[in-house]
Structures are given as C-alpha cells and as structure tokens.
Amino acid sequence: LVEGAAESAAALKRDEDTRHAAFQLTCAFCFIHAAGISVVAVNYARRSKAKYPSGGPSTATWCCGFCSLVLSLAFAGMMLMVAVPLSDACWFWRHDLLTHAGIQDYHRQLGLVDPTTPQRDMDPLAVGAFRSCFAGNGSGDLLGALGLRGKLDFQERFEALFIELEDKSDSRTVDTAKFELLVSRAQSFGGLFLLDPEDSLPLEPSSAERMLGSSLEPDDRE
C-alpha cells in the first residue's frame, strides 16, 4: 500500500498540473472574450455612423461566448465526473473501510490473510498492525500490535546486568562458567545492536522513502 502510494504520487502530480493548466486556459479565454472582444464589438457598434452597422464584431462576440460557455461546461462536467467517484471512495475509506471493524470485515480484499491455511483465514497480526497504522483510532504502536514490545524491551535489563557485572569486576569474583557464557553470547549476538552508539548509522537511501515519517515509538495521542 505504501509503495503503491509512493509510485502514484508522480502520476497524481502530473494529473493535477494538467487540470490546473486546463483551468487557467479556460479562464484566460473567458477573460479575453469578456474584456477584449466584447468591448471592441460594443465600441464598434456605438461609434459606427452607418444606420445598420456590420454584424461581424457582434457575431464574433457571440461565437466566442458560445465557445467560452462550452469550454466552461465541459471542464466543470469533467471535474464533476472525477469528483463524484472520488468523494464516494473517500467516504467509503474513511467511514467504512479504515475503521476498527471495517479492516476485519474487508481483510480478504486488503490481503490480510494467513497464506499457510487453505481457507486463507484472517491473520490477526496483520490486521492488528494495519489497524494501528491506518485506522482513525489506531494507536500507532506497531511493535505492540506485532507482539514485539516486550521482546525488544531489553535496554533496562542490559543496564542492570552491566551494573551487576561492574560490581562483580570490582570485587574480583567472577564465575568462570558465566564468564565463558557471556563471551560466547557476545561473539554470537554482539553485531546485532549497539548500546547507546555515539554516531548513529545512516539509513539506506532506498529505505528512507518507505519510512514516511514512521518510528518505533507511537506518537502521543489524546
């Protein structure tokens, strides 16, 4: 969903630029007709010495007025054809689909299914993560929705164990078995994380566009 929105952003911007250009051209034609051709035709008829002035300027004014009316109605009609489906789609997304119950009801259409089951039943983890991110009352706690909040909350435990390790190192008493276990675990898992790094590692350029301002911690919600 995020990748599709990012890919369609350029197309939506191009369509919006086209709509804005068509609107400006229509307004410019109507302005030229009202302020230019019509004024010239009226001044010509008023200043003419002939009993029956030529109808050329008036005919041109009527023709330009007809073209202005047709362009305006055509532009308004096309905008109406686009606005009505979009407004219905936005209403459906906001009040039916992206709700707590709507995400569960339309889980098959959203692809929130468990591929390991033959019936392709609903995947509770996927539905919970989708609710936390896209529902109007979502908490934004993606780690909590995936059940990873407690498993990844190891900072306090590490700090307590390091304090304990420092106390034991000061007392010069260390259990050999636990020391060897600590060394082996550090060699196995030491490259997976950094404790309070001084210089944070840069984010991959290809991944930065997909983040879209997301974070591991949910924003405060009232």
Side-chain angles (χ1 to χ4, degrees), residues 73-100:
L73 291 178
F75 181 79
M78 287 188 293
M79 291 297 100
L80 188 63
M81 292 175 61
V82 175
V84 171
L86 284 181
S87 62
D88 291 341
C90 292
W91 178 270
F92 171 74
W93 292 336
R94 178 66 181 85
H95 298 281
D96 195 3
L97 179 61
L98 298 180
T99 59
H100 186 82

Side-chain angles (χ1 to χ4, degrees), residues 44-188:
Y44 174 79
R46 185 176 60 183
R47 296 179 181 181
S48 178
K49 304 295 185 179
K51 184 177 181 180
Y52 299 103
S54 174
S58 299
T59 303
T61 302
W62 280 100
C63 181
C64 292
F66 174 78
C67 293
S68 300
L69 181 62
V70 170
L71 288 176
S72 301
L73 291 178
F75 181 79
M78 287 188 293
M79 291 297 100
L80 188 63
M81 292 175 61
V82 175
V84 171
L86 284 181
S87 62
D88 291 341
C90 292
W91 178 270
F92 171 74
W93 292 336
R94 178 66 181 85
H95 298 281
D96 195 3
L97 179 61
L98 298 180
T99 59
H100 186 82
I103 294 174
Q104 181 176 353
D105 295 338
Y106 296 96
H107 68 274
R108 293 184 181 275
Q109 288 77 10
L110 295 173
L112 306 176
V113 296
D114 187 359
T116 60
T117 59
Q119 295 81 10
R120 297 179 64 83
D121 298 329
M122 182 185 68
D123 190 347
L125 289 179
V127 171
F130 200 92
R131 282 173 176 168
S132 64
C133 295
F134 295 101
N137 58 349
S139 63
D141 188 3
L142 185 58
L143 292 180
L146 295 175
L148 300 176
R149 176 64 60 185
K151 296 180 180 179
L152 296 179
D153 190 12
F154 49 78
Q155 184 66 34
E156 295 181 359
R157 294 179 57 193
F158 276 172
E159 291 179 356
L161 292 175
F162 273 105
I163 293 174
E164 182 181 355
L165 183 61
E166 289 179 357
D167 295 338
K168 289 184 179 181
S169 63
D170 294 337
S171 61
R172 303 297 181 181
T173 56
V174 178
D175 189 350
T176 305
K178 291 184 178 180
F179 179 76
E180 293 179 354
L181 178 61
L182 176 62
V183 173
S184 63
R185 293 295 177 84
Q187 292 176 350
S188 301

